[in-house]
C-alpha cells in the first residue's frame, strides 16, 4: 500500500526479500535518491504516524511481519550535501542505535524522552533528531515530539559557549525552569567539534547532564 501525504511517503511492504519496493513506487533509482528513507516496523510507524499508518492487527502479526518505509524529500538534492553530511547520513541508522543504547540505562518505565539535535545544517538537525526518536520508539520507550525550551536570555548566553559547556548549563536551566519534570529525560545529539564527523550524545535528567559518547 502506498500513501502520499505532504512530503512523506509510507510504503507497507512484505518482509524484506532483496529488492526495495520503493524503487518501483518511485519509478527508478534516480527518483529514489532524492528521498531520505527509513524502513521501520509497522508497529513503530503507527506510534510515530498514528493517523497515517494503521495499527498492526494481532492475527496478521502472528503470520506476517510488515514494514513501513517512511520517506521524506531531501531538502538538498543528492550529491549536494557536504562530504561530512553524506558520511553521517550513510551510516545514520547504525550510529543512532549505538548512541541510544547507553542512554536506556538512564531512564525507567515512566520516563518520557524528548530529543533534539545540534548540527550546523538545519536540515541535518531534523534528520538526526527524527532518527533518534524513531529508535527510541522502536525500543518501546515513551517519546515526546516536543523539546524543552529556554528563555531568550538563556539562549543568548549559551550561543557564546562551546557545545559541551552549553549542553551542561542548558540541562541545569531545563530543571530550574521546569522544562523537564521528574519523569522526563532529554537526549541531545550533537557535533561537538566542527573538525570531526562523529556524532555525540548525552542525556539530561533531573538537572544533571551526562555525555554518553
Amino acid at each position: 500500500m502506498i500513501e502520499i501525504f505532504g512530503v512523506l511517503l509510507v510504503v507497507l511492504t512484505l518482509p524484506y526479500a532483496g529488492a526495495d519496493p520503493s524503487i518501483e513506487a518511485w519509478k527508478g533509482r534516480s527518483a529514489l535518491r532524492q528521498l531520505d528513507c527509513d524502513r521501520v516496523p509497522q508497529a513503530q510507524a503507527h506510534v510515530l504516524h498514528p493517523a497515517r499508518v494503521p495499527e498492526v492487527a494481532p492475527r496478521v502479526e502472528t503470520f506476517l511481519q510488515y514494514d513501513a518505509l517512511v520517506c521524506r524529500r531531501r531538502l538538498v538534492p543528492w550529491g549536494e550535501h557536504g562530504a561530512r553530511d553524506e558520511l553521517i547520513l550513510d551510516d545514520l541508522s547504525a550510529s543512532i542505535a549505538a548512541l541510544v543504547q547507553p542512554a536506556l540505562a538512564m531512564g525507567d518505565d515512566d520516563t518520557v524522552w524528548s530529543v533534539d539535535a545540534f548540527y550546523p545544517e538545519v536540515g541535518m538537525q531534523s534528520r538526526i533528531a527524527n532518527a533518534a526518536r524513531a529508535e527510541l520508539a522502536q525500543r518501546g520507550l515513551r517519546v515526546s515530539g516536543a523539546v524543552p525550551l529556554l528563555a531568550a536570555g538563556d539562549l543568548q548566553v549559551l550561543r557564546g559557549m562551546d557545545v559541551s559547556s552549553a549542553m551542561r548549563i542548558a540541562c541545569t536551566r531545563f530543571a530550574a525552569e521546569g522544562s523537564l519534570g521528574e519523569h522526563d529525560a532529554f537526549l541531545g545529539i550533537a557535533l561537538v567539534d566542527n573538525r570531526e564527523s562523529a556524532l555525540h550524545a548525552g542525556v539530561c535528567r533531573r538537572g544533571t547532564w551526562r555525555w554518553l559518547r
Side-chain angles (χ1 to χ4, degrees), residues 56-86:
V56 180
R59 291 185 179 180
V60 172
E61 190 174 28
T62 302
F63 299 100
L64 292 173
Q65 293 293 323
Y66 286 87
D67 284 344
L69 190 67
V70 182
C71 299
R72 301 167 181 83
R73 292 189 184 276
R74 280 177 170 257
L75 298 178
V76 180
W78 181 269
E80 294 185 19
H81 277 298
R84 178 177 62 194
D85 298 351
E86 293 289 1

Side-chain angles (χ1 to χ4, degrees), residues 123-141:
M124 287 287 290
Q125 288 182 18
S126 176
R127 178 74 169 147
I128 293 166
N130 286 335
R133 291 187 189 99
E135 181 68 24
L136 288 168
Q138 184 175 4
R139 293 170 184 259
L141 302 178

Side-chain angles (χ1 to χ4, degrees), residues 79-93:
E80 294 185 19
H81 277 298
R84 178 177 62 194
D85 298 351
E86 293 289 1
L87 181 63
I88 289 175
L89 287 173
D90 283 346
D91 193 39
L92 186 59
S93 294

